[in-house]
Amino acid sequence: RMEGQGIYTLPTGTEYRGTLRDGMFDGEGELVFPNGGRYRAVWHRGVPTQGKYTFADGLEYKDKKWHYCDGYDRRFYTEICSGLKPPG
């Protein structure tokens, strides 16, 4: 079974980078998705106990008070950070 630090590539192209114990994700590690998103977490026997997802553009997902495309503001993350730019 896999043990220690390493990189494991799943059939979908997603990579796990971090600690493995007894063939399972265990300890600090992150999943790197083909679209550029990342999920950093602390794992225990293959199950994340706490973690954070970051989209490819740098936007961090937050379960509470997430100001991205909510009912009041439908702008994209880039526009929120940089403001609206004129066309052309």
Side-chain angles (χ1 to χ4, degrees), residues 19-78:
T19 307
L20 297 149
R21 182 181 297 161
D22 197 27
M24 293 183 275
F25 305 163
D26 198 82
E28 292 185 16
E30 74 175 337
L31 291 171
V32 180
F33 298 94
N35 66 6
R38 295 174 178 270
Y39 181 67
R40 288 181 182 239
V42 176
W43 303 81
H44 179 70
R45 300 187 69 187
V47 178
T49 58
Q50 64 184 41
K52 177 175 68 171
Y53 184 83
T54 305
F55 291 90
D57 64 0
L59 175 67
E60 293 179 357
Y61 174 77
K62 295 179 183 164
D63 196 29
K64 305 223 187 281
K65 295 184 180 181
W66 195 47
H67 301 294
Y68 177 73
C69 287
D70 63 12
Y72 302 103
D73 189 353
R74 297 234 179 247
R75 294 176 295 170
F76 291 100
Y77 182 65
T78 304

